[in-house]
Amino acid sequence: MAVVTNDGDTLAVRKTKAIEYYLKNGVAEKIQDALNMMFRDDPEDVYGYLANYFEHHSISPTLTSIVATKAWCVGNIPGLSLNIYCKLKGSEKLAALCLTPALEDMAFLDAIQSCINNFMVPKLTGLNPGHQAKIDATLREAYSIYKTEQARVASDSLVLEPADESAEGSQPVPPKPTKSKTKTAKSPRHSAKARTGDKSKTGLMEHPLGYYAVPFTSQAMCVAAAAIRNIPLYAHLRQLAGVSVSDGYKRLLPVIPVLSGDGKGKLNCLKEILIIPPSNLSMQKEKQKYEIYSGVQKSCEEMRDHLEELLAKYPSIAVLINPLAIQDSDNWKLLTEQNGHHCHIIEDRSSLGDQDDVINCAKTAVCLGLEDYLCVADVLEKAVTIKGNGTAVIMKMSALTTGHFAIDMAMGVDASMVYLPSFDGELATHHINRLLQVEVELPEMAPPADSRFSVRSLSPRASPAAC
């Protein structure tokens, strides 16, 4: 008599199905290979060895959901918490939790949250978080749909407004209140707005509502991919950038301004100093003149001579950021050729605007800011291009990045320095602590491959004993 199983199959049919299932998935072959390798390697943890072996043969992780919820950031200022859920090894798990920078503008925050939850999540579901280029392309597509929808809603609201405002019963329009001369309270210095300056100058609020949903989510996906692979974020970014493993890691040099003149009066040429980068210095195209002091103008050649005199007078100056107008390419070249061996002549891309790819000045390094590019893939592509031209990369810390992403990105693209625009507040301290953590993780890091600097370690030293 034939034995029948609970699902109605005979035992013989059941055995046949089992054999077909195991052969189809190559189970027997992989088990045999795992046992042979384990016997050869003789690991101490047998089951841990098997777990690591079969982990590489599991189905690639896929995104199942991203939940953006409001959270409190540094300084008790609201931000967003991005919870990244993935299907990993057959079950849904929380792959990463990322906090956005503090955003005190609630309308801005609500728009970012809506864009992520309602427009990006449906597009991202089912994708592998490790495929950064695909993720970023999908984010752009989702944001484009979001903008179209916002434009439609705005158009509909205009149609619904009453056409005749002079109808009977309408209330008179109250006069606009006069501006008070009293100073308003300053916004908290921990917020992204405060850390990047006035919104009209930084572009934080110049972009449409919801814009920063793209870079925030792009960075969070990158963090999740590194967490799933159980490797440091900088190692994951290094592989995405195509940096060879044989190159090894080099100690990242933090560069911090030591003097700021705010571009006022006679300090017009000392806008923000690393030691001397007049990043807002402009040249009058008609006169071909620089105005370095109030009422004092210099020609292009005189300006170059002026900078060379400063370098000769103060030999400790190690960095010049945008020392000349980007149109003055001939003097850029001469300044770099004559002084680039002992001082970095840096082009800060964040101040070039639309001329980013039009003018190519001679320089020893290019400063990249994460806030100047929409997605992670854009930054990686630009860094690879710059290094391919034989120019060093300097990563500029941004208040608009998740966590310490700028430090890991700098390590990932093998940057020579990280520019911290200000050491004031928790943000810069947070990044410095990340550098210290990396030093612990990579004790064999090589010193900076740059003769202009001599750096041994960032670790705090004990205070000398009292006499």
Side-chain angles (χ1 to χ4, degrees):
M1 183 179 70
V3 179
V4 180
T5 60
N6 293 334
D7 55 6
D9 290 337
T10 63
L11 188 58
V13 172
R14 192 70 172 174
K15 287 182 179 180
T16 302
K17 287 184 176 180
I19 293 173
E20 291 176 352
Y21 175 79
Y22 291 131
L23 289 175
K24 175 183 176 181
N25 292 281
V27 175
E29 180 181 344
K30 289 183 175 61
I31 289 178
Q32 183 180 5
D33 184 49
L35 294 176
N36 290 334
M37 291 179 62
M38 184 171 63
F39 182 76
R40 180 197 64 194
D41 296 339
D42 189 23
E44 180 181 1
D45 185 354
V46 173
Y47 298 105
Y49 185 94
L50 289 174
N52 291 332
Y53 174 86
F54 285 108
E55 182 179 2
H56 298 292
H57 296 283
S58 62
I59 297 175
S60 299
T62 55
L63 288 164
T64 56
S65 179
I66 305 172
V67 181
T69 59
K70 289 186 174 65
W72 291 106
C73 300
V74 176
N76 292 330
I77 302 174
L80 287 180
S81 172
L82 301 184
N83 303 274
I84 315 297
Y85 292 91
C86 294
K87 188 175 183 181
L88 185 62
K89 299 176 185 177
S91 60
E92 187 180 50
K93 296 181 180 179
L94 177 64
L97 190 154
C98 299
L99 282 176
T100 69
L103 296 168
E104 55 186 333
D105 190 310
M106 292 305 296
F108 211 63
L109 196 64
D110 291 339
I112 295 174
Q113 184 181 18
S114 173
C115 185
I116 293 174
N117 289 339
N118 301 326
F119 292 86
M120 293 182 174
V121 172
K123 291 287 185 181
L124 292 172
T125 302
L127 298 182
N128 186 337
H131 296 167
Q132 192 67 45
K134 177 66 174 176
I135 291 288
D136 290 346
T138 305
L139 289 174
R140 289 191 184 92
E141 179 186 355
Y143 180 64
S144 178
I145 297 173
Y146 169 80
K147 287 196 299 182
T148 302
E149 178 64 17
Q150 292 299 108
R152 184 192 65 79
V153 172
S155 177
D156 292 346
S157 64
L158 289 176
V159 173
L160 294 176
E161 287 183 0
D164 187 5
E165 296 182 357
S166 60
E168 287 188 32
S170 60
Q171 297 294 327
V173 180
K176 293 183 179 180
T178 57
K179 292 184 179 180
S180 173
K181 294 184 179 181
T182 58
K183 292 184 178 179
T184 56
K186 295 182 179 179
S187 56
R189 64 187 176 94
H190 304 290
S191 67
K193 174 181 173 182
R195 283 175 278 162
T196 55
D198 183 75
K199 65 181 180 182
S200 62
K201 298 179 181 179
T202 63
L204 172 61
M205 301 302 177
E206 291 177 357
H207 294 293
L209 294 178
Y211 173 85
Y212 283 101
V214 181
F216 291 163
T217 308
S218 178
Q219 294 170 29
M221 292 295 99
C222 197
V223 172
I228 290 172
R229 298 180 60 195
N230 197 27
I231 62 175
L233 178 57
Y234 56 78
H236 177 65
L237 286 164
R238 194 179 184 87
Q239 293 180 15
L240 290 177
V243 180
S244 176
V245 179
S246 60
D247 290 347
Y249 288 95
K250 301 178 184 65
R251 182 170 287 116
L252 193 61
L253 180 67
V255 180
I256 304 168
V258 296
L259 177 63
S260 178
D262 294 329
K264 298 178 181 178
K266 292 187 177 181
L267 287 177
N268 190 37
C269 67
L270 305 180
K271 167 61 179 173
E272 188 175 36
I273 298 185
L274 283 187
I275 310 289
I276 304 178
S279 57
N280 69 333
L281 194 63
S282 61
M283 178 178 65
Q284 299 179 16
K285 294 182 180 180
E286 299 80 8
K287 300 180 180 180
Q288 295 289 301
K289 296 280 188 178
Y290 290 94
E291 185 175 2
I292 60 171
Y293 309 133
S294 299
V296 178
Q297 294 184 340
K298 289 184 180 291
S299 67
C300 298
E301 292 74 16
E302 290 172 340
M303 183 63 191
R304 189 188 75 243
D305 293 340
H306 172 68
L307 291 170
E308 290 180 346
E309 289 175 4
L310 287 174
L311 291 175
K313 186 176 181 180
Y314 303 103
S316 296
I317 295 176
V319 177
L320 295 178
I321 293 185
N322 287 359
L324 299 167
I326 56 177
Q327 298 90 348
D328 195 2
S329 56
D330 292 340
N331 285 294
W332 265 89
K333 182 178 180 181
L334 290 173
L335 184 67
T336 302
E337 288 177 351
Q338 297 174 13
N339 303 277
H341 62 284
H342 63 83
C343 175
H344 260 307
I345 312 297
I346 296 176
E347 174 187 304
D348 186 354
R349 291 263 165 173
S350 62
S351 64
L352 297 185
D354 296 335
Q355 305 176 88
D356 178 75
D357 293 317
V358 177
I359 298 176
N360 186 23
C361 304
K363 61 269 180 182
T364 60
V366 173
C367 187
L368 293 180
L370 287 176
E371 70 272 20
D372 302 317
Y373 299 91
L374 189 60
C375 300
V376 171
D378 298 336
V379 184
L380 294 173
E381 180 182 359
K382 183 63 68 174
V384 170
T385 302
I386 292 170
K387 290 184 69 67
N389 294 332
T391 307
V393 173
I394 297 175
M395 192 58 57
K396 188 175 183 179
M397 186 193 74
S398 169
L400 300 174
T401 56
T402 56
H404 43 66
F405 197 89
I407 297 297
D408 288 85
M409 175 62 82
M411 294 291 298
V413 300
D414 198 25
S416 57
M417 290 181 279
V418 58
Y419 171 24
L420 309 179
S422 173
F423 196 72
D424 180 32
E426 287 83 354
L427 182 65
T429 305
H430 181 61
H431 284 75
I432 291 292
N433 285 335
R434 176 56 178 164
L435 286 172
L436 293 171
Q437 183 182 8
V438 171
E439 278 199 357
V440 174
E441 296 175 1
L442 302 170
E444 301 302 323
M445 274 195 304
D450 198 322
S451 58
R452 303 171 184 83
F453 307 103
S454 176
V455 179
R456 288 174 291 180
S457 175
L458 291 172
S459 301
R461 294 180 172 85
S463 302
C467 297

